Amino acid sequence: VSLSAQPPRGQMAVRDRLMLSCALAMGAGPLSFSWHREGSGILLGTGPDLELCHTGDNDSGHYRCRVSNRDSVAESDPLNVTVLSEQDPSGW
């Protein structure tokens, strides 16, 4: 399972938009997708893409995609998402 982000590297400013995409190299369908952020038991989405609109400080963290079919479950490596606050002097 591979995970990609737009903008690349998962860094953006407050109120920006983030698109995460999950892809499976091989496997037979039907496939089910689920999105999770580490430390949160909340299901964030159920499709191959996850869009976060108007990001805020609370959206920073490690995101994972889980893909399953009738036979198995695979999980992506975590992707670190960083939302930089307007007061953050370090920039990007």
Side-chain angles (χ1 to χ4, degrees):
V1 178
S2 64
L3 192 54
S4 61
Q6 186 59 37
R9 298 186 333 246
Q11 290 188 339
M12 79 261 352
V14 171
R15 293 187 298 277
D16 278 357
R17 176 180 161 267
L18 173 68
M19 177 66 78
L20 300 176
S21 297
C22 187
L24 185 63
M26 54 187 215
L31 300 175
S32 296
F33 294 85
S34 62
W35 289 92
H36 308 272
R37 185 174 65 225
E38 287 184 28
S40 169
I42 299 170
L43 176 66
L44 302 174
T46 58
D49 299 316
L50 176 67
E51 182 177 13
L52 302 175
C53 296
H54 306 290
T55 55
D57 292 332
N58 60 338
D59 290 316
S60 291
H62 290 88
Y63 287 76
R64 288 183 185 264
C65 173
R66 185 176 296 139
V67 183
S68 60
N69 63 14
R70 285 180 247 162
D71 300 321
S72 63
V73 175
E75 199 168 75
S76 70
D77 289 334
L79 175 72
N80 186 38
V81 169
T82 304
V83 179
L84 302 170
S85 69
E86 293 173 338
Q87 290 86 20
D88 189 347
S90 64
W92 295 41

